[in-house]
Amino acid sequence: MVILLCICLILPQTGCANVSAGGDEKISVGVVVYSFDDTFMEEVRSAIKNTADKENVRVEIWDSQGSQNKQNEQIDQFIKQGVDVLAINPVDRTAAGVIIEKAKQENIPIVFFNREPIAQDLQKWDKLYYVGAQASMSGMIAGQILAEYWKEHPEMDKNSDGKMQYVMIKGEPGHQDVELRKKYSISYIEQQGIQVDKLAEDSAMWDRQKAKERMLAIISTYGDQIEAVIAQNDDMAIGAIEALKEQGYFTSDRTFVPVVGVNATLSAIQAIKEGVLLGTSYNDAQRQGQATLLLAKELAEGKNPQESGFEKETGFSIDQGHYIWVRYIKITSENTNDALRNR
Ligand code: GAL
Ligand code: CA
């Protein structure tokens, strides 16, 4: 430290300001998150915070409480405060265009995360990025878990009609994960030569309690006809399982209902271990939070992450000039530990 400070005193132009006394010149990142009530986003938030602490970056993280208007005000406030960079988890991803105009005017780069702006918006400036996981992949994993189970467990076809009667519990309308998880889960199952038959499809806004209520209604209509439940995240999968349990399912092998989720939250891993959740895909909040913060820092330092050695140093590669993709991992009872690394 002493040596470093000396070098800084001798060479003030080398950008040592951040380690000099006072800390006032730390990089500051303004972060907005669509809602603090979201289980998965809680993990992303803490990953951002932990990385910021490690990197000696000042970070403020605000709750947009599900309101795009509120978020726009928060962004105005951050700009007024003079943050060096913004990290944005939009409430409404189609609102990115307006946000981009503002930030660009002030030359403040933006890293969007988890809720993906439409491609045209991201092309509007070279200091715009998106960090997330590829939704199609989580869809395929859900389909794969069910297709494999179907092949190994002929009794899953309760009515022996050769078709998988399924229920789909979806997240928030308009979210990229909703359409893509839906499309890719089903097409994966069909590609495996398994016919599907949709009994019901409903939205439960990523929420456990709402999913439980929807599922109770679905059970009262379809009951034993249900051969599979595809929930678009783990909270909703657990809500569906609670409803099924309440209606007498999961008391023996005979009343087991295959349910899949997405995220690999800690409660989901617990549910897999208990044998009630068939599987999920690990949505790596740690790496997404880390990539968001590291990229934000790089941009705040005025660097071009594609030329600065960022990719080599961090291991995160930049795709098509604007994207960092974090991979999902298929999780079943065979590999729950894969979702516990880094946690
Ligand atoms: C998804 C995640 C959901 C929810 C949503 C919020 O990636 O699977 O559980 O957190 O992001 O945008
Ligand atoms: Ca069937």
Side-chain angles (χ1 to χ4, degrees):
M1 193 64 195
V2 172
I3 295 169
L4 198 54
L5 280 175
C6 292
I7 295 171
C8 289
L9 292 175
I10 301 163
L11 298 168
Q13 72 276 26
T14 54
C16 289
N18 294 329
V19 292
S20 63
D24 284 332
E25 289 149 274
K26 268 190 188 180
I27 283 171
S28 75
V29 188
V31 185
V32 282
V33 170
Y34 96 94
S35 166
F36 276 17
D37 291 336
D38 184 297
T39 313
F40 173 71
M41 294 315 297
E42 201 177 314
E43 282 198 56
V44 178
R45 271 193 281 145
S46 70
I48 291 177
K49 180 76 180 78
N50 293 341
T51 313
D53 291 347
K54 262 192 222 138
E55 297 290 322
N56 197 28
V57 164
R58 177 178 309 142
V59 69
E60 272 186 70
I61 309 180
W62 291 347
D63 180 3
S64 303
Q65 298 176 348
S67 156
Q68 189 59 55
N69 282 341
K70 184 172 185 83
Q71 182 167 82
N72 290 348
E73 285 166 21
Q74 292 172 326
I75 290 167
D76 289 343
Q77 179 64 30
F78 272 139
I79 293 177
K80 230 170 55 215
Q81 256 174 244
V83 295
D84 300 305
V85 57
L86 287 162
I88 298 180
N89 174 228
V91 178
D92 170 3
R93 66 198 190 94
T94 62
V98 181
I99 299 169
I100 289 167
E101 290 310 318
K102 279 187 205 168
K104 191 176 168 189
Q105 244 167 32
E106 308 287 331
N107 197 28
I108 302 173
I110 307 180
V111 180
F112 290 96
F113 60 103
N114 168 265
R115 297 176 156 230
E116 186 185 342
I118 52 170
Q120 289 91 316
D121 281 341
L122 274 198
Q123 304 302 329
K124 286 181 177 161
W125 191 26
D126 58 354
K127 291 178 185 168
L128 303 174
Y129 289 82
Y130 175 70
V131 174
Q134 230 141 11
S136 53
M137 194 173 169
S138 53
M140 285 192 272
I141 291 173
Q144 188 187 0
I145 295 169
L146 285 174
E148 283 171 2
Y149 191 81
W150 178 269
K151 288 183 179 167
E152 284 162 21
H153 295 266
E155 75 278 9
M156 183 179 164
D157 185 9
K158 289 185 187 165
N159 62 352
S160 310
D161 69 347
K163 293 182 190 165
M164 191 191 294
Q165 273 77 24
Y166 72 92
V167 167
M168 175 130 12
I169 313 275
K170 300 189 295 181
E172 217 177 328
H175 196 298
Q176 80 278 348
D177 289 346
V178 170
E179 286 317 309
L180 294 171
R181 286 177 185 166
K182 172 176 153 173
K183 177 170 165 208
Y184 284 89
S185 55
I186 298 306
S187 63
Y188 188 95
I189 296 171
E190 287 175 333
Q191 276 159 23
Q192 296 304 300
I194 302 165
Q195 290 182 56
V196 295
D197 187 4
K198 179 171 77 186
L199 296 178
E201 182 182 299
D202 208 344
S203 169
M205 305 296 284
W206 308 123
D207 183 79
R208 177 173 174 158
Q209 187 56 32
K210 287 198 180 80
K212 183 179 174 185
E213 287 156 18
R214 306 284 187 279
M215 192 64 198
L216 281 172
I218 293 169
I219 298 168
S220 75
T221 311
Y222 298 102
D224 289 344
Q225 292 175 51
I226 302 167
E227 296 174 342
V229 178
I230 302 172
Q232 291 191 335
N233 80 353
D234 289 340
D235 279 354
M236 298 190 296
I238 291 169
I241 289 169
E242 282 171 357
L244 285 161
K245 278 186 175 166
E246 230 174 74
Q247 296 305 307
Y249 293 88
F250 293 111
T251 49
S252 67
D253 283 356
R254 234 173 28 81
T255 58
F256 176 77
V257 180
V259 178
V260 292
V262 176
N263 285 344
T265 60
L266 295 176
S267 346
I269 293 170
Q270 188 56 35
I272 290 175
K273 287 183 175 161
E274 284 166 14
V276 286
L277 181 65
L278 185 61
T280 185
S281 42
Y282 180 33
N283 195 359
D284 193 337
Q286 280 65 38
R287 280 177 58 78
Q288 288 172 61
Q290 198 188 13
T292 301
L293 195 283
L294 293 177
L295 183 57
K297 182 183 175 218
E298 194 78 356
L299 294 167
E301 286 169 346
K303 296 181 194 159
N304 176 347
Q306 287 169 96
E307 289 162 4
S308 63
F310 172 85
E311 295 178 299
K312 253 207 185 132
E313 272 164 39
T314 64
F316 292 113
S317 52
I318 294 175
D319 190 29
Q320 294 180 28
H322 294 274
Y323 296 88
I324 291 182
W325 296 114
V326 171
R327 292 180 67 76
Y328 283 102
I329 303 171
K330 174 182 164 222
I331 303 292
T332 62
S333 56
E334 280 160 29
N335 68 335
T336 47
N337 280 339
D338 287 351
L340 292 171
R341 287 188 216 134
N342 314 319
R343 273 170 154 169

